[in-house]
Amino acid sequence: MAVLQKIRNRSGLLLLAIGFALLAFVVQDFFSNKYSTSSNDVGSINGKDIAFEEFRMKVANLEKNGQQGQPMTTIQAANQVWEQETSIALLTEEFEKLGIRAGEKHILENFKNDPNIGQNPTFQNEAGKFDIKKFQEFFKSNPEQAKVLKDREKDAVLNSKYQIYTSLVRGGMYTTDAEGKFKYELETNKVSFDFVAVPFSSIKDSDIKVTDEDYLNYMKKHEKRFKSEGTREIEYVVVDDKPSAEDEKEVKDRVNALLSGSVVYNKETGKNDTISGFASATNIPEYVSQNSDIPYDSIYKTKQELPAEAAEQLFNLPTGQIYGPYMNGKYYCISKAMGRKPNAKAKASHILISWEGIDRVQKKEKRTKEQAQAKAQSLLAQAQANPGNFMMLALTNSDDSSAQQGGDLGYFAPNQMVKPFNDFVFNNPVGKIGLVESEFGFHVINVTDKQDAVLLATVGQRIDPSEKTTNEVYTKATKFEMDANGKDFAAAAKAAKLTVNPAIKAKPMDEAFGSVGNQRQIIKWAYSDDTNVGDVKRFEVVNVGHVIAKLTKVNEKGLMTVEEAKPMIEYIIKNEKKAEKIKDKMKGSSLDAIAKANNVTVQQATDLTIENAMIPNVGMEQKVVGTAFGTAANKLSAPIDGNMGVYVIKTKSVTKAPKLPKHDAYVNKLKPMAQQGAGRILPALKANAKIEDNRVDFY
């Protein structure tokens, strides 16, 4: 009462304080909105802005529809749409520069090449070919469908322009006879030489000192190879919200009590309730619904569909008997056998042979019903004569998508297949091969297996952390967050008996976060302008517990860090330094003198070519072989840095390739390589573009 009186006496002061707080909040919001520098654009490509709202709609559509039937996260969709928008913007810029336009013929050809249009029977003539007139007449008489086509026309225009563009690129990437001649000489000119090789392995890695400056100098010389979009390094601790030993015991005691029945105090009624045992229960579905976290399932299941750890015992359990308790994932269970069905599920393979007029089947060849029947009967005879060849017959002949699995349809229950197919499989023994007709065509069927199935009633209770345990975990995580803020993260973790996980290097649009899966919220926090190196924050993660993260390092956009680049270039820099040491000792007036000074022998290489530059006992060394071609006979070369070591050579002879009137065979070898140039367009455009990516501000 005294506390309440004090609050009443100071209510005016309290209201005034609240008023000031609200005013401060409004003023702060006003200024933050007024002077915010955040853009409404998700990014820009060479100065062309990409509006967020339009981008967001595309992301939402892709996320909703997924890709090839696979669901996508928002970040996955955003990354894919960004790649598409970047490619479209860069290519459109090129189309404009070159004046590329797509006419009606180009657009119609693009529609024709779309399987959903070009192979649609609605737009085909009697010969099964795409008919432009039928296509145009259909959309003239269907205005609603024409609106949909109008939207698709934009994509068709873009695709048409891209095809023209790539055709121009391919047309410019031709191969001349001079290039063919050069290729011929690379393959056929031969050189023989003596050499001394001192391998890099002759110097220990421990004798070579490589500094961060060495790495940076190398990276700056090859800047394009070591570009980085920037990363944030985050180390973290996980405080698992998992059941305690007491939680497990409580659930196990409850389930164990159901085996023989028990008396339980009911808090709502204030009386004891008698719970009958599972074995004596008369209404099993009701009993399961009242005592189980797993719903009653009336479906018969094969052995393969039962929990793996207890499948053998459950499948062979006599009707009326109880098995358990046993663990099934996070559930503590007891199961009662309710019944058994012989041959409840079957497995079969088939070869489907369809005919013209059945549109639901993608046929491998055109045929009438009579031709289809004749082919099916022929395949039936082959399969019956050699059942082991059924898989190959299905793979090469079946019109069904199961052809890729050799016709295997897996296990299925009665009435899952069309009636003629179903009746044949379930009315015939395993090994029977026969022929039936259905609405899809003629099926050559091989019955490959049958399985019994059992009906089980399972009482399962999930072992979850109790409220007490969850509260204790929360307290532990919160205390660690406070202890780690501004202090030694590892020391705080050790004191709390927690493990610090290796630091995650997160890119701006990553979402995967180490052992805890997709956690975009943590990466978003690390990239926030309000987050500084050394900051610590706790995150609640569903089905995990708490993640306490610390931002340890900010790697700005530009060159990779030395730590990132080191695994890629350490051996290169070490070999460069080793080469300098080796060269100091590779001095002498003859190969014998150089070999003696380095405790190696003089070796020979015979009839090597640039294309086949495999030096015996050494390895592939094109630079060495190329130097041999350019060195005068019987003259010592300067030391050569190779792939495997340092070399000095003395050329003995060069055999030139016989002259040819034409080099068509070699021109043809080079043509495919030239044609691959079109595939390098986009990477080249992206490498030279000015791209600003603001997605991290929105996702």
Side-chain angles (χ1 to χ4, degrees):
M1 291 297 289
V3 174
L4 289 174
Q5 187 60 42
K6 286 180 181 179
I7 292 173
R8 291 192 191 101
N9 292 340
R10 296 174 181 171
S11 59
L13 182 62
L14 184 62
L15 289 171
L16 187 63
I18 293 171
F20 273 117
L22 288 171
L23 179 62
F25 178 79
V26 171
V27 170
Q28 180 187 356
D29 187 58
F30 170 77
F31 279 102
S32 63
N33 286 333
K34 184 173 182 179
Y35 298 105
S36 172
T37 57
S38 63
S39 170
N40 290 324
D41 299 318
V42 77
S44 67
I45 315 296
N46 285 340
K48 182 183 176 183
D49 294 331
I50 300 174
F52 172 67
E53 192 55 35
E54 185 179 345
F55 185 87
R56 182 191 65 78
M57 290 176 64
K58 291 179 180 178
V59 170
N61 286 335
L62 182 58
E63 185 182 2
K64 178 183 176 182
N65 298 322
Q67 187 176 32
Q68 298 177 347
Q70 297 298 316
M72 302 182 79
T73 67
T74 301
I75 298 301
Q76 287 172 333
N79 288 340
Q80 184 164 320
V81 172
W82 176 257
E83 288 300 314
Q84 291 171 352
E85 292 298 298
T86 303
S87 300
I88 290 169
L90 292 172
L91 287 169
T92 301
E93 194 175 310
E94 294 299 299
F95 301 158
E96 292 299 321
K97 286 179 186 175
L98 297 170
I100 294 175
R101 299 288 181 268
E104 185 180 2
K105 286 185 179 179
H106 294 112
I107 296 167
L108 286 172
E109 188 66 25
N110 197 271
F111 281 139
K112 177 183 173 182
N113 292 331
D114 183 339
N116 295 317
I117 295 175
Q119 295 177 21
N120 191 324
T122 306
F123 310 128
Q124 291 179 340
N125 56 26
E126 293 178 357
K129 301 290 185 182
F130 179 74
D131 190 323
I132 291 175
K133 287 184 179 179
K134 291 186 75 173
F135 175 75
Q136 292 171 329
E137 286 169 3
F138 174 84
F139 287 103
K140 280 181 183 178
S141 57
N142 291 274
E144 289 300 318
Q145 294 292 329
K147 289 180 183 177
V148 177
L149 184 70
K150 198 70 179 173
D151 291 334
R152 296 191 66 175
E153 192 174 321
K154 294 177 184 177
D155 292 335
V157 169
L158 190 65
N159 287 333
S160 298
K161 288 181 179 180
Y162 180 68
Q163 287 167 7
I164 296 168
Y165 179 64
T166 52
S167 296
L168 290 172
V169 172
R170 289 192 184 98
M173 302 291 288
Y174 56 87
T175 306
T176 65
D177 188 70
E179 289 172 306
K181 179 185 176 186
F182 184 62
K183 172 72 172 172
Y184 166 64
E185 290 173 348
L186 290 178
E187 288 189 15
T188 317
N189 286 348
K190 296 177 180 178
V191 65
S192 298
F193 57 90
D194 294 336
F195 68 95
V196 170
V198 180
F200 294 133
S201 59
S202 64
I203 297 178
K204 294 178 181 178
D205 283 356
S206 57
D207 293 338
I208 300 299
K209 184 180 179 182
V210 183
T211 66
D212 286 355
E213 188 178 357
D214 293 325
Y215 288 112
L216 283 170
N217 289 337
Y218 185 89
M219 290 158 64
K220 287 174 182 176
K221 285 180 186 176
H222 309 85
E223 197 168 328
K224 284 191 176 181
R225 281 178 54 196
F226 299 99
K227 277 186 177 179
S228 171
E229 60 184 291
T231 57
R232 299 289 187 270
E233 295 186 25
I234 313 157
E235 58 184 5
Y236 66 102
V237 158
V238 178
V239 183
D240 293 309
D241 188 11
K242 58 185 180 182
S244 65
E246 291 79 7
D247 297 335
E248 289 188 23
K249 183 177 184 304
E250 184 180 342
V251 173
K252 289 179 178 180
D253 286 347
R254 281 203 307 265
V255 174
N256 288 336
L258 296 175
L259 286 169
S260 56
S262 60
V263 176
V264 179
Y265 177 73
N266 190 322
K267 292 180 182 179
E268 294 180 5
T269 63
K271 297 179 180 179
N272 289 333
D273 290 341
T274 300
I275 300 176
S276 61
F278 194 23
S280 60
T282 54
N283 189 333
I284 294 297
E286 183 181 343
Y287 188 92
V288 171
S289 68
Q290 290 176 349
N291 296 285
S292 177
D293 294 329
I294 301 174
Y296 178 75
D297 189 352
S298 60
I299 297 173
Y300 282 78
K301 294 184 177 179
T302 61
K303 186 176 180 180
Q304 285 79 359
E305 296 172 303
L306 300 176
E309 298 82 355
E312 188 70 34
Q313 295 88 338
L314 291 170
F315 188 72
N316 295 309
L317 191 64
T319 300
Q321 295 296 305
I322 292 175
Y323 174 75
Y326 64 94
M327 288 298 298
N328 180 15
K330 291 187 176 182
Y331 293 89
Y332 194 63
C333 306
I334 50 176
S335 294
K336 185 175 185 178
M338 304 295 291
R340 189 181 193 91
K341 274 186 181 178
N343 299 330
K345 289 197 175 182
K347 187 180 183 185
S349 298
H350 81 146
I351 306 168
L352 176 64
I353 305 299
S354 192
W355 60 84
E356 290 300 306
I358 299 179
D359 297 330
R360 289 179 288 177
V361 176
Q362 197 76 24
K363 294 167 281 295
K364 288 185 176 178
E365 60 184 61
K366 288 186 177 182
R367 60 178 83 89
T368 63
K369 182 176 181 179
E370 291 72 22
Q371 290 171 329
Q373 186 173 18
K375 181 168 185 175
Q377 288 173 337
S378 171
L379 290 168
L380 172 66
Q382 294 177 59
Q384 289 175 331
N386 185 6
N389 199 35
F390 195 96
M391 180 185 291
M392 188 56 65
L393 291 173
L395 186 65
T396 53
N397 294 280
S398 183
D399 291 330
D400 184 55
S401 59
S402 68
Q404 299 303 316
Q405 290 78 46
D408 186 7
L409 297 169
Y411 286 96
F412 48 89
N415 304 317
Q416 277 186 250
M417 300 294 185
V418 289
K419 192 173 187 309
F421 194 104
N422 177 85
D423 292 350
F424 179 87
V425 172
F426 284 97
N427 292 333
N428 283 288
V430 173
K432 179 70 174 178
I433 297 175
L435 178 66
V436 301
E437 178 186 345
S438 81
E439 60 203 75
F440 295 98
F442 291 104
H443 305 261
V444 180
I445 304 171
N446 182 13
V447 183
T448 55
D449 193 20
K450 289 189 177 181
Q451 290 189 341
D452 293 354
V454 294
L455 177 62
L456 298 172
T458 297
V459 172
Q461 294 191 11
R462 185 180 169 97
I463 301 178
D464 282 325
S466 63
E467 185 178 349
K468 177 189 172 187
T469 300
T470 297
N471 289 338
E472 288 173 352
V473 169
Y474 172 80
T475 301
K476 183 177 182 179
T478 305
K479 183 178 183 303
F480 174 73
E481 180 187 16
M482 291 187 293
D483 291 345
N485 246 312
K487 298 176 184 176
D488 187 316
F489 197 73
K494 186 177 181 180
K497 297 182 179 178
L498 295 169
T499 302
V500 179
N501 290 275
I504 302 295
K505 285 186 179 178
K507 295 177 183 177
M509 288 303 291
D510 282 351
E511 60 180 339
F513 192 81
S515 61
V516 291
N518 289 350
Q519 293 301 322
R520 179 64 186 162
Q521 56 174 336
I522 303 178
I523 295 167
K524 180 85 173 170
W525 164 77
Y527 275 89
S528 170
D529 292 337
D530 298 329
T531 305
N532 300 309
V533 172
D535 284 358
V536 174
K537 186 175 175 62
R538 179 183 57 83
F539 299 87
E540 290 190 26
V541 178
V542 178
N543 297 326
V544 173
H546 302 262
V547 174
I548 299 91
K550 178 182 180 180
L551 179 61
T552 58
K553 194 173 182 182
V554 172
N555 300 314
E556 299 294 353
K557 187 176 180 180
L559 276 180
M560 285 182 186
T561 64
V562 168
E563 290 77 13
E564 287 175 304
K566 189 178 287 187
M568 295 184 277
I569 60 175
E570 185 175 19
Y571 78 97
I572 297 174
I573 296 173
K574 281 186 175 179
N575 284 348
E576 286 180 351
K577 288 180 173 286
K578 288 180 179 181
E580 293 304 317
K581 286 195 171 192
I582 292 170
K583 285 177 186 176
D584 290 339
K585 297 193 296 180
M586 293 193 80
K587 294 173 183 176
S589 58
S590 67
L591 288 179
D592 287 330
I594 295 171
K596 188 175 181 181
N598 288 276
N599 199 28
V600 295
T601 59
V602 178
Q603 301 182 68
Q604 292 80 40
T606 305
D607 290 343
L608 299 187
T609 69
I610 295 291
E611 292 279 302
N612 180 23
M614 185 67 72
I615 299 178
N617 305 317
V618 176
M620 183 64 72
E621 292 286 7
Q622 287 184 310
K623 186 177 178 181
V624 177
V625 175
T627 303
F629 273 108
T631 302
N634 297 316
K635 183 179 177 182
L636 287 182
S637 73
I640 308 159
D641 294 1
N643 297 324
M644 310 301 294
V646 180
Y647 305 79
V648 174
I649 62 148
K650 184 170 76 172
T651 302
K652 291 161 62 177
S653 65
V654 173
T655 306
K656 295 285 186 179
K659 289 187 177 181
L660 297 177
K662 286 187 176 182
H663 304 88
D664 293 351
Y666 296 91
V667 169
N668 290 333
K669 281 185 180 182
L670 293 171
K671 276 182 179 178
M673 296 174 63
Q675 293 301 305
Q676 290 172 8
R680 296 193 288 269
I681 293 170
L682 272 173
L685 291 175
K686 287 178 182 178
N688 294 307
K690 185 179 179 182
I691 299 174
E692 185 178 336
D693 185 353
N694 301 327
R695 284 177 295 159
V696 72
D697 296 334
F698 299 91
Y699 292 96

